[in-house]
Amino acid sequence: MYTDSVLLESRSARSGMAHKVEVLDKVKALAFSTGGAQATTRDVANYFEVPLKTVEKLAERHREELISNGMSVLKGSDLRGYQTDKLSVSSGPETGYPQRRSGLTVFSRRAVLNVAMLLRDSVIAQRVRSYLLDVEESARAHPGVEAVRQSTEELRQTVRTLAAGYGSLDRRVGNLEAAGAELGAVLQELGPVIGRLSTRVERMDHRLAETERRTERTEQVVCAMSQRLADMGEEMRAMRRELRGVAHALGTGSESEDE
């Protein structure tokens, strides 16, 4: 049988109870400021009604164990994306602190339960551990009931995860729709400009076609002139031959008269 002190001191005992996250809501409603499936350090402190520093120090001392149960530190692009999709905080010193840090520690429900099994001086944590021990004792006495309860809780967890994913997807679809509307407005403004450019291009096409037709006619004229020059050259050669014939005939006639 586990006891309260065993849970506080034994990591293996805590590991065996870490899946019973439903006890958190049985003791007190766990409110996530992100609206999703992860709690910030401040959410955890508020749940257990302890100072923020208490949770931060505990997370540092038991970092490896908590990370194995779903605690993580978001940085860089992951942090920016998480804040954009899930956080809705003001710029005040209390609610705005995630945006002022280079990293944001978040806890899964399993990690929050792990914190409950580590916090000694929180009344809420003590009640969670007490409830855990009662559930464990009941499970030992009625194993079939525990199996049904576990299956039910797994189904609830799946539904919560799907709901959180749907919320994020819905926001992203909204962002895409807004971007599409902006793109449509830009294209509408560019429409007249594109129309004018199309008209100018069409005019240039007509001018190029006319230039090609004129060039073709010029080539035809040049070819005709070349052929005419060739014909004139042939006619001139024929005239030279006739002139030489006449000259030769005239020369022969003169020699006969002298004799």
Side-chain angles (χ1 to χ4, degrees):
M1 286 290 296
Y2 290 147
T3 64
D4 189 79
S5 60
V6 169
L7 288 179
L8 288 169
E9 301 297 336
S10 172
R11 178 172 176 177
S12 61
R14 292 192 294 271
S15 178
M17 308 282 274
H19 63 284
K20 301 180 185 295
V21 295
E22 72 279 1
V23 302
L24 295 170
D25 291 322
K26 298 293 185 181
V27 174
K28 179 183 176 182
L30 175 57
F32 292 166
S33 62
T34 64
Q38 291 177 304
T40 64
T41 306
R42 188 171 298 279
D43 292 335
V44 177
N46 290 339
Y47 177 82
F48 291 111
E49 299 177 2
V50 297
L52 180 64
K53 287 293 183 181
T54 300
V55 179
E56 291 176 342
K57 291 179 180 179
L58 184 142
E60 187 62 30
R61 286 198 305 270
H62 301 276
R63 183 180 184 84
E64 181 183 349
E65 179 180 348
L66 289 169
I67 287 177
S68 69
N69 280 307
M71 185 185 79
S72 60
V73 179
L74 304 179
K75 295 183 178 181
S77 59
D78 291 336
L79 174 58
R80 290 191 295 272
Y82 189 88
Q83 290 173 335
T84 299
D85 288 343
K86 299 182 179 180
L87 289 181
S88 178
V89 295
S90 67
S91 58
E94 290 296 319
T95 58
Y97 78 94
Q99 293 174 316
R100 299 173 184 268
R101 294 185 174 182
S102 60
L104 174 67
T105 301
V106 292
F107 297 75
S108 67
R109 298 179 70 86
R110 188 181 177 106
V112 175
L113 181 59
N114 199 161
V115 172
M117 291 184 283
L118 290 167
L119 273 174
R120 292 180 179 273
D121 300 327
S122 166
V123 174
I124 301 299
Q126 292 172 1
R127 289 172 58 188
V128 171
R129 291 195 298 273
S130 177
Y131 199 97
L132 272 175
L133 295 173
D134 291 343
V135 169
E136 180 65 15
E137 183 177 356
S138 176
R140 290 177 182 273
H142 307 284
V145 174
E146 172 61 16
V148 173
R149 184 204 60 75
Q150 181 62 30
S151 297
T152 302
E153 178 55 30
E154 290 176 356
L155 179 59
R156 287 175 179 170
Q157 182 61 33
T158 300
V159 170
R160 283 193 292 265
T161 302
L162 289 174
Y166 174 79
S168 176
L169 178 61
D170 184 61
R171 284 189 292 274
R172 293 183 181 183
V173 170
N175 292 338
L176 287 175
E177 289 177 345
E182 292 178 1
L183 179 59
V186 172
L187 291 177
Q188 187 174 5
E189 292 177 359
L190 288 177
V193 177
I194 295 174
R196 290 194 295 271
L197 289 175
S198 178
T199 300
R200 294 179 64 183
V201 170
E202 186 176 355
R203 290 175 181 172
M204 291 179 64
D205 287 340
H206 290 322
R207 291 176 182 176
L208 287 173
E210 181 62 25
T211 301
E212 289 178 356
R213 287 192 293 271
R214 291 179 179 179
T215 301
E216 184 177 354
R217 289 195 295 268
T218 301
E219 290 177 351
Q220 292 174 353
V221 172
V222 171
C223 289
M225 292 177 64
S226 177
Q227 183 62 43
R228 179 57 180 162
L229 289 173
D231 293 342
M232 290 177 64
E234 185 62 31
E235 290 176 357
M236 291 179 69
R237 285 191 291 272
M239 290 176 64
R240 289 193 186 100
R241 287 194 296 271
E242 291 177 0
L243 288 172
R244 283 197 296 270
V246 170
H248 180 72
L250 291 174
T252 303
S254 299
E255 290 176 358
S256 298
E257 292 175 356
D258 292 340
E259 292 177 357

